[in-house]
Amino acid sequence: MNKIKYCFASLLFLFAATVVAQDGEKEEKEPGHYNQSKFKQLYEEFSTPNTYRSASGAPGPDYYQQQADYKMDIELDDKNSRLYGEETITYTNNSPDDLEFLWVQLDQNVRAKDSKSPLRNGGGVPIASQAGGFVQTYMTEPFDGGFNIDYVRDANGRPLSYTVNQTMMRINIPQPLRSKEQISFSIKWNYNIPDHTVNRARSGFEYFPKDGNKAYVIAQFFPRMAVYSDVEGWQNHQFWGSGEFALPFGDYEVNITVPADHILDGTGELQNRKEVFSKEMMKRYEQAKKSYDKPVLIVTQEEAEAAEKGFSEKKQTWRLKAKNVRDFGFASSRKFIWDMQAVKLGSRDVMAVSMYPKEGNPLWEELSTKAVVGTLKSYSEHTFDYPYHKAISVHAKNQGMEYPMICWNYGRPNEDGTYSDRVKYGMISVIIHEIGHNFFPMIVNSDERQWGWMDEGLDTFMQYIAEQEFGEANPEVIAPNNKYPSRRGEPSKIVPYMSGDQSTIAPIMSNPENVYKLGPNAYGKPATALNILRETVMGKELFDHAFKTYANRWKFKHPTPEDFFRTMEDASAVDLDWYWRGWFYTTDYVDIGVKGVKKYYVSNKPTKQMEEYMAARNLTEADFPPLVYLAEEDSEDFDPELKGKSPSESSTTLKEYMMDNMTAEERAEVKEPKYFYEVTFDKPGGIPMPLIVEYTYADGSKENVTYPPEIWRKNDAEVKRIISSEKELVGILVDPKAETADIDPANNSWPKKDEKSDFDSFKNNIKGK
Ligand SMILES: [Zn+2]
């Protein structure tokens, strides 16, 4: 390109901006600023799409998943807190591969005496220890947990060889299980049930010394098939304690024998209700099926208190059947009060159920089932109608754990029945969260062992929405006109984590076993990232459609992170690779500010910079089309005469141009901005985000502009914008509604506010490390 043409090109390009050429180019060329990698597509990070998983994020034409059906007879020995089981697993190999062996999960082995789980953590003397934990660690023998395997047999009753490696058992089948073939085998086992209140197990019993009873919440209680998939082959990563579960779908028939005075509920439809219910309970159950506005007590507190004294020697068997679930859990005790309420979801009725000992009251009878109802409605609205026939919330001390149709939740009042707001909201929130887990990961069945955020993050995000909707639907529960006090989800709540010590922060895309702070890593940050994506980046309409598309594409299937990332783009036409990259693949934080403002007026004379430009190239003004100049107020170009004049008064070139090129009507319509500003925004934070700006003018009026995140694509450190206005600009505020999790509001305003904020110390901390 020759010199003159180059001048024309750049000046014409800049005519709209009316500043001298260099700035725009200088920004791009400054070393370190041109950081294109932030907007680079995620080709290197994502697996290549294939016929199992499409590039759109949907299951591909060859998508398959394995099926594991269970028939089990379980017996609870209440006196000795021991569980016995015999199970037959029928495993269908839908994969194209022949399998030389099968992997079965023995999760209880994490509590075995020789478990390596307690040995893998370092750590010094803590500032304090809980008494129960202290006794268990230093003063008693290790708990004798873990499965005792009586046998593993094939369909003909012949022993099958097996190898146990910690929490995984390899079944050494004599012939490979061919593609599309099925195998049945049986396992007989038993184990000592742990007290979940001392050792923080996900299941076990709580002992109530006052009446001598135990309340059992039982899960991970049977040898369960591992997942075999196109992504991991066998998912046989050990269960260490933090990384949860990966399970195939299947049908279950489970007979559970417990003391005859126990009340039991669990995954699946009860097959022998008339046998295990009294006549009175049947009558109340029929009422509950038609009670859409409030729960009906199936077992009252009075009845539960009477049962506490019984200690029946007789046994009773509860028969449950579940189709297409990925797991099975149950709760059993003579202490349980039981209530149920019907919920209409689409054209179907679902039963919202709560089970709790009297120790949970009055809180539980007031709020548990109400929270279950709210959760089912909100989640169904945002994903798909809850497909099972019931959802049970069981009260268990310090528990928050989920299984298909049933979950354990904390929230216990003081002994006198009083409770704080913290206990109340904690209880509602954990119920919403755990019932919500029916959707993620019980139905949208992601691999929890590998990706904690795919269930916890998506669920916590939905929990935030459900909590807000619960607050709106139940003003009598939260103080009228108050917003539900969500612990996670609001952008500001994640700032302390994201701005914290980088040496203890891991990207969201990490295995849950390997992160320091699992709460903010797998729950808070992904939930907030999705909330910001919904409310600020994509907008609710585009986000909700895409999120729903993901939930529906992958319900009753096994999605991966890429399936989620790809679907969100596929259904919205929003390029989100930069967002996934910044929020999910790095530990960067958001910090965007306004760095400086320069004021300009329209001038008739070439600016000093322009004169130098022309001199260096032997050019004069005659070599250019008609030019208009902007003179900076604080420079030698500035002429005080220019102040307060309109552009057409200040520039004869402009006036002549308008006379030659515009009709009288057009000239009458033109705007005459008297003020021009060059605003420099900077971005100390690593994550590119939309630049949300509120401009305030001298007359008090405000203008809000959101520049898309792509504004940072050519310069990751700073960008300039020109603001023209008929009114004087008096203030600029970045992220005025604090919706981006910007860690440092101190640099968000012009003129700069002087007071030092807490965030300065955060930031100084980061810089120091
Ligand atoms: Zn959870």
Side-chain angles (χ1 to χ4, degrees), residues 39 122 135 185 228 237 403 525 552 640-642 644 649-650 701 741 745:
F39 285 88
V135 168
F185 60 99
Y228 184 87
H237 192 89
Y403 305 97
K525 189 181 165 191
N552 281 281
E641 291 284 291
L642 300 170
E649 285 169 341
S650 302
S701 63

Side-chain angles (χ1 to χ4, degrees), residues 35 302 341 527 588 599 606:
N35 191 344
E302 211 181 358
Q341 175 183 332
D588 286 345
K599 201 171 187 179

Side-chain angles (χ1 to χ4, degrees), residues 244 402 433-434 437 455-456 459 523:
E244 294 188 300
E402 73 279 9
H433 181 94
E434 306 305 341
H437 268 312
D455 64 301
E456 299 302 354
D459 186 37
Y523 297 66

